[in-house]
Amino acid sequence: MGMGSKMEGPSTPAIRRDPYEVLSVSRDSTDQEIKTAYRKLALKYHPDKNASNPEASELFKEVAYSYSILSDPEKRRQYDSAGFEALDADSMDMEIDLSNLGTVNTMFAALFSKLGVPIKTTISANVLEEALNGTVTVRPLPIGSSVSGKVEKQCAHFFGVTINEHQAESGIVVRVTSTAQSKFKLLYFEQDANGGYGLALQEDSEKTGKVTSAGMYFLHFQVYRMDSTVNALAMAKDPEGAFFKRLEGLQPCEVSELKPGTHIFAVYGDNFFKTASYTIEAVCAKSYEDTTQKLKDIEAQILRKRNELRQFEAEYRKALARYQEVTDRYTKEKQSVDELLKQRDGIHSSFSIVKSTNISGSGSNLSNGSSSKINGDESPGEDGGSDGKDKSGKKKWFNLNLRGSDKKLI
């Protein structure tokens, strides 16, 4: 499966069928029913188990694409209301199977990820199958403790967190961090009737400061996770308006509380080439009551802010359109004023008997005031210039005065 085809969309099949039909579920199916159907079909058609069957690969694409629609509340609502036309066919919300990419395409995927492009990856079918068969090794993770380790790429370390009734009522938090900034997934499995473990939740690691981290919060109130691909898609489509989509990636976590008993979590190595270093810890929220309340308050504030941004975006778009309108008018009005003043200057310059094309020499620089002298008694004749006659007249007047003065003195 080439990297190029996968990068074009979320494994979009050539011919799209009704996602409910693909997953063999009804339109009123619950999220859990859809998830269960997807897990079974994904395992059945996963490329790892069907390397020699290209048709299975296409069916896997179809199953993954259908699940990407029905597992997202907003996409499911859009599809239910208007079908595929309501969905963005060029969505960047894709998942890549690293185990099936090959070295060259894996290098490209790693490069894109390094540049900040969020690339979702699928969980290896071998890991999911081993979990379903109940053949995985589960290490204990007591409440109030932490375990550090390194997990190979496309492999998982499983942990069992046992909680009592009091701890279940108080709430449980499981977090994974990596000071090496490794990529990983935090997985939560529910026990199936056959004794195996089925994937119920997954959180991809996100870079926060100098570490990467992921967490699951079972605190008896709705907690949200951030899907970074929504922000990346918004940035690609509309960089100026991407700010308004920053909170659209908030997705409600499907499980908000745990019952007493042992619960299975796993750290899945999601690096492209090397092992993932991690530290996993499980804590009871009883010791963090103030922090729990702060989280509850901030989640509520963020949801309100998301609604405010949706309203503000409409106002902003309207104001931006108006700004563009007045900016365009400003440019046109400026050009109009410049043209009018230019025409006015041209008209002013037309009030002259001297043609600018015939005037030469330094003596031709006549001002508007000099034109009044031209019409007076000292105006030049037709045969000569004014300068020559003025000089000769002054000379004769000087000589005559001298002679007259000499006669009177004698």
Side-chain angles (χ1 to χ4, degrees):
M1 193 178 304
M3 181 68 181
S5 63
K6 297 290 285 185
M7 290 298 289
E8 292 175 0
S11 299
T12 307
I15 300 176
R16 295 185 293 184
R17 292 194 296 144
D18 180 6
Y20 292 101
E21 178 185 342
V22 172
L23 298 182
S24 299
V25 294
S26 62
R27 287 185 170 268
D28 57 354
S29 295
T30 64
D31 293 340
Q32 188 59 46
E33 290 172 337
I34 292 173
K35 187 180 301 180
T36 300
Y38 164 69
R39 287 204 302 263
K40 292 179 179 178
L41 291 173
L43 281 175
K44 180 179 180 180
Y45 297 121
H46 200 286
D48 285 356
K49 299 179 64 178
N50 300 273
S52 60
N53 184 2
E55 184 180 350
S57 178
E58 291 303 316
L59 290 173
F60 179 78
K61 279 186 184 182
E62 189 176 44
V63 168
Y65 178 73
S66 298
Y67 182 68
S68 72
I69 296 173
L70 300 186
S71 63
D72 187 311
E74 180 61 20
K75 289 182 180 178
R76 184 178 181 182
R77 183 192 64 78
Q78 291 176 344
Y79 177 80
D80 288 344
S81 63
F84 288 118
E85 293 182 358
L87 302 173
D88 185 2
D90 297 325
S91 173
M92 291 172 59
D93 187 12
M94 58 189 168
E95 291 191 351
I96 294 176
D97 179 16
L98 292 181
S99 63
N100 200 44
L101 276 184
T103 303
V104 176
N105 287 331
T106 300
M107 290 177 63
F108 276 110
L111 176 60
F112 282 120
S113 179
K114 194 73 174 177
L115 294 174
V117 178
I119 298 179
K120 284 188 175 182
T121 54
T122 60
I123 300 172
S124 168
N126 293 333
V127 171
L128 295 177
E129 187 172 17
E130 289 176 0
L132 282 175
N133 293 334
T135 59
V136 296
T137 300
V138 180
R139 288 177 281 183
L141 177 63
I143 292 292
S145 68
S146 65
V147 175
S148 297
K150 291 185 176 181
V151 59
E152 294 292 330
K153 62 177 183 175
Q154 286 88 60
C155 295
H157 288 172
F158 287 79
F159 298 90
V161 179
T162 301
I163 60 176
N164 56 37
E165 187 173 347
H166 175 69
Q167 292 168 333
E169 291 177 355
S170 299
I172 299 297
V173 174
V174 177
R175 296 187 74 250
V176 181
T177 56
S178 172
T179 55
Q181 299 185 11
S182 298
K183 283 173 60 64
F184 58 86
K185 297 179 188 293
L186 173 59
L187 311 177
Y188 171 64
F189 292 84
E190 293 177 338
Q191 190 162 5
D192 289 344
N194 60 2
Y197 307 108
L199 181 63
L201 296 175
Q202 75 174 55
E203 294 289 341
D204 289 1
S205 60
E206 296 282 350
K207 187 176 180 181
T208 53
K210 295 183 179 180
V211 302
T212 50
S213 64
M216 293 185 180
Y217 307 84
F218 308 95
L219 301 172
H220 300 278
F221 60 84
Q222 186 64 70
V223 177
Y224 294 81
R225 66 176 183 273
M226 179 63 76
D227 186 349
S228 59
T229 56
V230 175
N231 295 335
L233 178 60
M235 178 64 72
K237 287 187 172 182
D238 183 10
E240 293 183 357
F243 162 73
F244 295 103
K245 305 301 181 184
R246 285 187 62 184
L247 300 182
E248 294 300 325
L250 285 175
Q251 302 291 336
C253 296
E254 292 88 344
V255 182
S256 61
E257 60 183 76
L258 297 178
K259 295 180 179 180
T262 300
H263 299 271
I264 306 302
F265 295 86
V267 180
Y268 179 83
D270 207 24
N271 277 338
F272 290 99
F273 295 106
K274 57 184 181 180
T275 59
S277 303
Y278 69 88
T279 297
I280 183 172
E281 56 184 335
V283 300
C284 177
K286 181 65 176 177
S287 304
Y288 300 87
E289 290 183 347
D290 291 344
T291 305
T292 300
Q293 186 60 45
K294 288 180 180 178
L295 177 60
K296 186 176 183 179
D297 293 341
I298 201 68
E299 293 280 44
Q301 292 179 40
I302 290 175
L303 287 180
R304 288 196 297 269
K305 181 58 67 175
R306 182 171 67 176
N307 292 332
E308 292 174 6
L309 282 180
R310 288 171 177 173
Q311 297 176 359
F312 178 49
E313 182 180 10
E315 299 175 14
Y316 173 81
R317 298 290 184 186
K318 185 176 180 181
L320 188 63
R322 176 59 179 161
Y323 171 78
Q324 187 63 49
E325 180 183 337
V326 297
T327 301
D328 292 342
R329 180 178 175 183
Y330 173 87
T331 302
K332 292 178 181 178
E333 295 290 4
K334 184 178 181 302
Q335 293 174 347
S336 176
V337 170
D338 290 344
E339 181 61 28
L340 290 173
L341 291 177
K342 182 179 179 181
Q343 292 181 22
R344 179 175 179 268
D345 290 341
I347 294 172
H348 282 173
S349 64
S350 298
F351 287 95
S352 174
I353 62 173
V354 179
K355 302 299 183 183
S356 58
T357 55
N358 295 331
I359 296 176
S360 62
S362 60
S364 62
N365 296 326
L366 300 177
S367 65
N368 285 339
S370 66
S371 62
S372 60
K373 292 183 180 180
I374 294 175
N375 295 327
D377 294 337
E378 298 181 7
S379 60
E382 294 180 359
D383 297 333
S386 60
D387 290 345
K389 286 204 169 185
D390 285 345
K391 289 180 181 179
S392 61
K394 287 179 180 179
K395 185 176 181 180
K396 292 179 180 178
W397 175 83
F398 179 75
N399 290 336
L400 287 174
N401 280 343
L402 283 176
R403 291 192 186 97
S405 298
D406 291 341
K407 288 180 180 179
K408 289 181 180 179
L409 288 172
I410 292 172

